[in-house]
Amino acid sequence: MLRNTLLQLRHNIGRLSAAGLAIVLGVGFVAATLVFTGTMQSSIRHMVAAPNLAADIVVTDDTAGIAEQEGDDQRQRRLRKVRNTEGVAAAVPRTESYANASWAGERYSVEVNRLPERDSLRWYELAEGSYPGSADEVVLSQRAAESANISPGETITLQQPQYVSAREGESEKPPVEREVTVSGLVDVGSSLLTGGSRVTVFAPQELLDELGTIDYRAIDLLLTDGADTSAVLDRLRDKFDTGQYAQVRTGQQQAERAVEMFSGSVAAAMNAVLLPFGAIALFVAGFVIVNTFSVLHAQRSRQYALLRCVGATRGQIRRSALFEALLVGLVTSVIGTVFGVLVSAAVSWPLGLTDSPIDFGSLGITPLALTAPVAAGLLVTFLASLAPAARAMRVAPLAALRPVPDEQSSRRIGRVRLVSAVVLTVLGAGLLLGGALLGSMGMAVPGGLAAVLGVLLFTPTLIPAVARAFGYLLRSFGPTGTLASGNAVRNPYRASSTSTALMIGVGLIVLLLTGTASARHSANEQIDQRYPVDVKVAAEEQDQPVPEGVRQRLESLDGTAVTAALSGTSFEMTRSEASTPEGADPAETPTVTFRALGIDPAKLAEVSRHGAEDLRPGTVLVPTNILDYWGWSEGDRVELPIGDGSDTFRVATTKLLRSGILLTRSDLAATGAETSTTEIWARAASDTYMPGYTGELNSLAEESASTPVDVGGAVQMRARFTQVLDTLLLIVTGLLAVAVIIAVVGIANTLGLSVLERGRESALLRALGLTRGQLRGTLALEAVLLAVVGTVLGAVIGVLFAFGGVAAMFENIGLPVVFAVPWAPLLLVLLCAVPAGVLASVLPARRAAKAQPAAALSEE
Amino acid sequence: MSFPNGSQRTAASPAEQGGADGQHGSAGQPAESAPEAATSGSALVKVYGSGEAGVRALDNVDIGFAGGRFSAIMGPSGSGKSTLMHCLAGLDTPTSGRVMLGTTDLTGLSDKQLTLTRRDRIGFLFQSFNLLPTLTAEQNILLPLELSGRKPDRQWLNELTGALGIDQRLRHRPSELSGGQQQRVAVARALITRPEVVFADEPTGALDSKSGANLLEFLRGSVRQFGQTVVMVTHDPVAASHADSVVLLADGNIAGRIDEPTQEAVLDSLRRLGG
Ligand SMILES: Nc1ncnc2c1ncn2[C@@H]1O[C@H](COP(=O)(O)OP(=O)(O)OP(=O)(O)O)[C@@H](O)[C@H]1O
Ligand SMILES: [Mg+2]
């Protein structure tokens, strides 16, 4: 029996190739994820451990924040204590801070570390140039410096960060700035989180002193030759009588401790994000496997019957079938794991996690990363083969004696299945709807899952029905269309599991697209209300007019819909006793300068997205912070000393501006104040791509060098939001694409198996005058039909579920519910189904068209 | 069942009807077969496989089948009957030699031209698996016309299906028809295009003797009534006795010819061939 199984397997190896590919892709995804996250983890470990390993002993503060409170004196005292300890040759505080660095017109926030004078404490290697020879030279971390385009010899400016100067009580003084030369680059190793994008500056202590960055959390010690490490450790521990603030450990111990603190967290988080996509891919692959084994067993049913005739028991046939599945699962899972390792190696290299694409030593290949994907692949294959094997077992010995049936007996959908499908779908949809109306995620999520399960049970009736409906459209393609639509649904189970696989992948992508479209829409509405003006251009210097050229440039930008000029002036106001908040010293809040802006209400209505109707003659619009400051409330009548004398206005709150107050242009003019065009507001056209528009606005600001202008407004926030959402969408779609690719492989699989099954039919058609092209066309249409049905159903279900989910979620967090259907991407997804189907049919069609009509007819 | 009597051939003659593609003239070529042959092969060689292991299924066969006649090919199993038929019908290409359909040289045609020739000018009947399971009987019958985009001749369809006694079963799928009914649907399909030649490979092989006899009578009727050309491969001396002439094959060679065959004459010759 075993030998027979193996022989059969060898005979059918070609038929299993597509299912094998599906498993390889799914398992490969899981393996690549595990290995990749493991690689990240080990590179982070390395980064964390390396600085500590350079020192013989490390003295650290374990409690964050203590160092600052201790103050300089205490810190100096501790350092002296350490240095005076017998056996300590050197004690170097590991000073680290941040600075604003600028070069080539760009500003970066960089980490500044002390470059130890002692060579042995430099845990990195010099990669290029030389170490600093003076206090105005620095070295940079190599990889980040290269990606930021700085090379040795160039000059950069380091500026003390605001919070350092503020802490030193020098807020009036401008922050310290130093021009330094990059003398070389050092290789600090790399990990996505640390070495990747951020430039690290290693500077001599003198420079750090000048920049006022003296924070440190650790002191690295080197021992004198021949000193006994444990004796020194004891001496140090005695000096810092408790372990309260300071910890004394060997470099090795400290490295282990640092690794321990990092351990697990990163990899676990990334695995939690990535592995569900692997599970989806494997789930979809399961459908392909079910199909393959169903077809395979159906084709072998006569052989099985013959075996039964000669005395094989049901159990033997079943065991043989399961054994075959396990064997296939094992081989393909192993291949998939190897594939996954290769993929993760290919991904890790450009990210700088490894030194070369074949640097397998640096990959985080753990035993788990190798065994878990194989186990997952085996499990999926085994589970997917259970039902087909059970069906193979049911064959009666007599079946061997019957003539070959002309048509594959198409099994009908079972009653139990139909009933549970209806119940689950109705119940789930009801719960989802209820959750959506009540804003209860607790109802919506299980409801959605139940409905999905119901729909999945439904697919054997649903998909052929939809395919038949679409098939009528195919009739217009003539006889090829008629044949294709008939072939596609002649085996409902096969058609449905083929299209279901695609439906799942597409459904998830569409769910995501619709969800983010709704989120985007809702967020945009929120931004509209809170930040109603897209673009605000003002001169950097207060009360300076915006050059006319800037306004013209702004107006000429494609993204700009409309602009408005605001006249502005400043006025001073003294807080009266009455309006001083209780407990506050009136002397401390003397005279304050405010900006007053005037705009024509009609213009405001054009340029703002919200709240323009509040501006009326005699009204002053005030942001809430100013309202609170003066202790005013909405509707108060207040006297404002603008221009000559004072005028009385009615107060209304607004979100149109954050500082200053807003009047109608004529009211402002009536005060007699001297005004100029101090601000230009603009509204972006509705179809503007915000990130691109922001870039144009920035260059506009740069062009106006003579009168520097600031560009503000909601557009930057919109741009950032759009970018974050787009990036997220792209990544997740990319991850789901693996499942879709597997589903398309599934279509090719079904088609390929059917082509083999229909060998005589194809031959007959060719004999009767179907050309090769027409035969290929028939298969392409069949594949397109399956692809379109899966995609359309996936899209419909994805949109519906997204609506339910969005409604429930928004209702839950108290936001107004907004639906948005992402038409353009949706259409793109639907259109992609056609080429995907055609692509899937290429190999099977080639095979089918190769056969000679006569040769195929004589085949048994 | 018998061939419809009053049927008039309304369409143009077969030669004009078909062959949209290159009719590579063979007019000047001295053909061994009779000039009026509807289908003929000269110096046909068909080798399966290659080298020493190759099987010479046809060994320099010259043969022609006259138009408007019912011809049978007989011979022992493995003698090359099916191979000969496949070559003549353009289902397979001979290793060497020439195949003529009317005045068209099939050996020079591309796969596509050959396909269109089969579609428009040749009818087929196989022993089994003649019909596509996804199509109804009617769709099966009209398939060759559909493939060529021609309008079905409704009257001709009605006459054929009426005479074959399948006019009530046209909406059924093959799996819902008996073996004999399926074979009759196949006959209707073979004749619906009014082909120049109908090739049949053991059309009665899977039928009981009564349905077999009916089918043969019908084919014979089509030859008598309007001069359809039918070439049939068969094992069965009874079937062969319905034909106007029998060609005997043995080991890929022509081994004899019997005109106006009787069962006894056929049996005799076969016995002599050692079949
Ligand atoms: N595709 C093929 N490959 C190799 N040899 C073949 C092939 N088809 C036929 N043959 C060989 O060619 C010879 C003629 O075969 P053919 O099928 O023409 O015989 P036949 O007269 O139709 O036999 P039967 O009465 O059994 O149908 C046989 O020896 C057969 O084994
Ligand atoms: Mg034969």
Side-chain angles (χ1 to χ4, degrees), chain A residues 28 127 192 204 222 252 302 315 339 348 399 427 492 508 525 770 834 845 848:
Chain A
L192 271 190
L222 291 177
Q252 181 68 40
R302 289 193 77 182
F339 173 66
S348 299
L427 201 76
L508 284 170
E525 281 195 357
L770 192 78
V834 175

Side-chain angles (χ1 to χ4, degrees), chain A residues 682-699:
Chain A
R683 202 178 76 181
S686 57
D687 56 348
T688 303
Y689 178 62
M690 292 298 173
Y693 187 49
T694 310
E696 286 182 330
L697 289 175
N698 287 344
S699 60

Side-chain angles (χ1 to χ4, degrees), chain A residues 743-822:
Chain A
V744 173
V745 168
I747 295 182
N749 180 46
T750 302
L751 221 58
L753 294 169
S754 304
V755 160
L756 288 176
E757 217 169 57
R758 295 187 221 137
R760 299 195 65 185
E761 237 174 281
S762 307
L764 180 65
L765 279 165
R766 295 274 291 118
L768 293 179
L770 192 78
T771 61
R772 287 212 169 107
Q774 281 175 315
L775 185 57
R776 277 195 216 105
T778 307
L779 288 165
L781 282 179
E782 186 178 343
V784 168
L785 184 61
L786 291 173
V788 166
V789 168
T791 309
V792 167
L793 282 179
V796 170
I797 292 170
V799 168
L800 290 181
F801 284 160
F803 280 176
V806 163
M809 200 185 315
F810 282 25
E811 197 82 49
N812 196 24
I813 55 180
L815 283 178
V817 179
V818 234
F819 289 139
V821 180

Side-chain angles (χ1 to χ4, degrees), chain B residues 244-269:
Chain B
D244 297 324
S245 68
V246 171
V247 171
L248 294 163
L249 268 187
D251 293 333
N253 283 303
I254 307 279
R257 187 186 171 95
I258 312 166
D259 285 323
E260 304 301 331
T262 59
Q263 279 185 49
E264 293 71 35
V266 173
L267 268 173
D268 240 31
S269 319

Side-chain angles (χ1 to χ4, degrees), chain A residues 855 858, chain B residues 48-49 55 57 75-84 201-202 233 235:
Chain A
S858 50
Chain B
Y48 289 111
V55 176
S77 186
S79 56
K81 305 183 292 294
S82 297
T83 306
L84 175 63
D201 195 350
E202 302 189 32
V233 170
H235 266 128

Side-chain angles (χ1 to χ4, degrees), chain A residues 282-292 380 384 456 459 496-498 500-501 504 749:
Chain A
L282 275 176
F283 184 59
V284 170
F287 281 87
V288 183
I289 300 165
V290 168
N291 247 2
T292 306
V380 168
L456 286 183
T459 48
S496 80
S497 57
T498 306
T500 304
I504 293 169
N749 180 46

Side-chain angles (χ1 to χ4, degrees), chain A residues 23-48:
Chain A
I23 306 173
V24 166
L25 287 175
V27 169
F29 190 109
V30 174
T33 302
L34 289 174
V35 172
F36 177 70
T37 54
T39 307
M40 272 198 53
Q41 169 134 338
S42 72
S43 80
I44 290 170
R45 275 185 190 192
H46 173 76
M47 296 280 301
V48 168

